[in-house]
Amino acid sequence: LSRQNCSKAAHGYSCNFCGRARNDFSAMKLHMEACHFPSYEGHTCEICQKHCKTSHALACHKSRYHKAS
């Protein structure tokens, strides 16, 4: 994912594919991965083997279910 897939807008970035706006580039990258460039293999949790569609979904899963004690 790169900046060529989005445009700098007045308040952040705009997706060149669908026009969706996000406040920062990190949020735009999450949007692009989830909507326009999905990983067909997905992402698997190395702790419990749960399969997630996006890296962000995997990060949320890990922070929710595998917090360091």
Side-chain angles (χ1 to χ4, degrees), residues 21-36:
R22 293 289 185 253
N23 291 332
D24 57 43
F25 187 66
S26 296
M28 181 54 67
K29 282 180 21 180
L30 294 175
H31 163 75
M32 292 288 213
E33 180 188 11
C35 297
H36 305 299

Side-chain angles (χ1 to χ4, degrees), residues 10-53:
H11 298 288
Y13 292 87
S14 176
C15 176
N16 289 344
F17 296 104
C18 68
R20 174 84 67 174
R22 293 289 185 253
N23 291 332
D24 57 43
F25 187 66
S26 296
M28 181 54 67
K29 282 180 21 180
L30 294 175
H31 163 75
M32 292 288 213
E33 180 188 11
C35 297
H36 305 299
F37 298 101
S39 171
Y40 293 104
E41 296 85 33
H43 303 271
T44 303
C45 177
E46 63 274 4
I47 298 169
C48 69
Q49 309 311 309
K50 176 171 175 57
H51 184 265
C52 298
K53 289 183 181 180

